[in-house]
Amino acid sequence: MTQSTMSTTLFIGLDVHKDSIAVAYVPYDHGAEVTYLGTIGTRQTDLDQLVRKLQSKAQQLVFVYEAGPCGYWLYRYLSKKGHAGWVVAPSRIPKKAGDRVKTDRRDAIPLARLMRSGDLTPV
């Protein structure tokens, strides 16, 4: 991928659990679709591998995930590595009426999309 076709910013939604992290990303480009990448492990090596993969797609990576029992270790780790990141309160994430089905995919994709549109507020 050449520099001219590379997006400048990639918004990455993470659905974090104790044993896995579901990953979805969307470029800053208007009209770009969200891509669901799947799940990764929660070790630092898993995160480093994810970052390397995504850095080939954009110059800046912006991570977002819901605050929860897994704490802020992920935010601190990504910040230490020089990446922007937000932790958002689950109650502050806009949801459609009647949307009660929760899956990793259905949690990660809206986070990436809402981060790109500016509809999230960090904790």
Side-chain angles (χ1 to χ4, degrees), residues 17-30:
H17 300 282
K18 181 179 160 191
D19 300 320
S20 66
I21 301 173
V23 181
Y25 66 88
V26 63
Y28 183 73
D29 310 326
H30 182 71

Side-chain angles (χ1 to χ4, degrees), residues 72-114:
Y72 287 87
W73 71 268
L74 181 57
Y75 171 79
R76 285 192 292 270
Y77 182 73
L78 293 169
S79 295
K80 189 174 80 174
K81 294 284 189 175
H83 302 291
W86 280 18
V87 180
V88 295
S91 61
R92 307 274 299 175
I93 298 171
K95 298 211 183 338
K96 293 179 193 157
D99 189 11
R100 303 209 195 301
V101 178
K102 290 191 50 93
T103 65
D104 295 349
R105 181 185 190 114
R106 286 181 109 175
D107 287 345
I109 289 173
L111 282 172
R113 187 178 293 125
L114 290 166

Side-chain angles (χ1 to χ4, degrees), residues 18-99:
K18 181 179 160 191
D19 300 320
S20 66
I21 301 173
V23 181
Y25 66 88
V26 63
Y28 183 73
D29 310 326
H30 182 71
E33 286 297 312
V34 179
T35 302
Y36 180 69
L37 204 57
T39 58
I40 63 169
T42 57
R43 297 172 314 181
Q44 291 179 351
T45 55
D46 299 325
L47 292 166
D48 292 340
Q49 189 176 13
L50 172 68
V51 166
R52 279 193 302 277
K53 179 186 242 183
L54 295 175
Q55 280 180 323
S56 68
K57 299 178 186 310
Q59 296 167 350
Q60 181 184 11
L61 304 178
V62 179
F63 293 87
V64 61
Y65 68 98
E66 286 184 21
C70 295
Y72 287 87
W73 71 268
L74 181 57
Y75 171 79
R76 285 192 292 270
Y77 182 73
L78 293 169
S79 295
K80 189 174 80 174
K81 294 284 189 175
H83 302 291
W86 280 18
V87 180
V88 295
S91 61
R92 307 274 299 175
I93 298 171
K95 298 211 183 338
K96 293 179 193 157
D99 189 11

